[in-house]
């Protein structure tokens, strides 16, 4: 029985050695396979984390793009409004420049007219002064003529009186003539 036990033990040991080798090989393979699997799981987990981060970043970027698109639309509307205001202002400036040019032309014409009227006024004033001087000279001449007429009238009257009454003539009487 001992022999059988030894045989069985040997046979068991002999069978055990290859089984242990297989088990050992399987254990080594399992360790390698487990390490490989753990490495792949780590890679997958890392990629999943990166994918999640990229999805969040993409979502955030999409929101930012939407916001920027809205801002772009608002800016485009603002730009159009500003361009319209600039066009209106430019038209107003153009109208004001034309009005200013017209006002300057009218001012120049008015100044020229004013100068012409001033010259006419000065000419008229010179003519009026000349007429006043002429009038003064004619009055003087008239006064002198009236004085001479008065004298002549007195002499004529005296002569008539002398003809009518020769004895009362001043030349005969020596009295001054009236």
């Amino acid at each position: 029985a001992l022999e059988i036990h030894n045989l069985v033990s040997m046979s068991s040991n002999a069978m055990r050695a290859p089984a242990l080798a297989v088990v050992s090989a399987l254990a080594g393979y399992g360790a390698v396979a487990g390490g490989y699997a753990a490495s792949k799981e780590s890679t997958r987990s890392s990629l999943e984390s990166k994918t999640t981060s990229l999805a969040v970043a993409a979502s955030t970027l999409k929101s930012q793009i939407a916001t920027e698109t809205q801002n772009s639309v608002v800016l485009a509307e603002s730009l159009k409004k500003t361009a319209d205001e600039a066009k209106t202002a430019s038209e107003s400036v153009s109208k004001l420049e034309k009005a200013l040019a017209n006002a300057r032309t009218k001012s120049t014409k008015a100044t020229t007219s004013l100068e012409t009227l001033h010259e006419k006024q000065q000419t008229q004033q010179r003519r009026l002064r000349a007429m006043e001087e002429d009038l003064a000279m004619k009055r003087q001449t008239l006064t002198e003529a009236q004085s001479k007429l008065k004298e002549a009238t007195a002499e004529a009257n005296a002569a008539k009186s002398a003809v009518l009454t020769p004895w009362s003539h001043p030349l005969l009487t020596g009295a001054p003539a009236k």
Side-chain angles (χ1 to χ4, degrees), residues 7 9 86:
L7 262 177
S9 264

Side-chain angles (χ1 to χ4, degrees), residues 70-155:
Q70 287 175 341
N71 289 345
S72 247
V73 168
V74 169
L75 285 174
E77 290 171 356
S78 178
L79 179 63
K80 184 183 181 308
K81 183 179 177 184
T82 302
D84 290 345
E85 289 172 355
K87 181 181 176 188
T88 302
S90 177
E91 289 171 354
S92 294
V93 166
S94 180
K95 287 178 183 177
L96 286 173
E97 286 172 345
K98 286 179 184 176
L100 180 60
N102 287 341
R104 284 183 178 153
T105 301
K106 287 180 181 179
S107 175
T108 301
K109 286 180 182 178
T111 300
T112 303
S113 287
L114 184 62
E115 289 171 356
T116 302
L117 288 173
H118 185 66
E119 288 173 10
K120 285 181 179 179
Q121 181 186 25
Q122 287 179 339
T123 301
Q124 187 67 27
Q125 286 174 347
R126 284 192 298 271
R127 195 177 311 153
L128 181 61
R129 279 192 300 270
M131 292 170 97
E132 286 172 347
E133 289 173 6
D134 189 39
L135 177 62
M137 287 176 23
K138 287 184 179 178
R139 279 185 180 162
Q140 180 64 33
T141 304
L142 177 63
T143 302
E144 291 171 3
Q146 285 174 341
S147 183
K148 286 180 183 178
L149 176 63
K150 190 175 179 183
E151 285 177 23
T153 303
E155 288 177 6

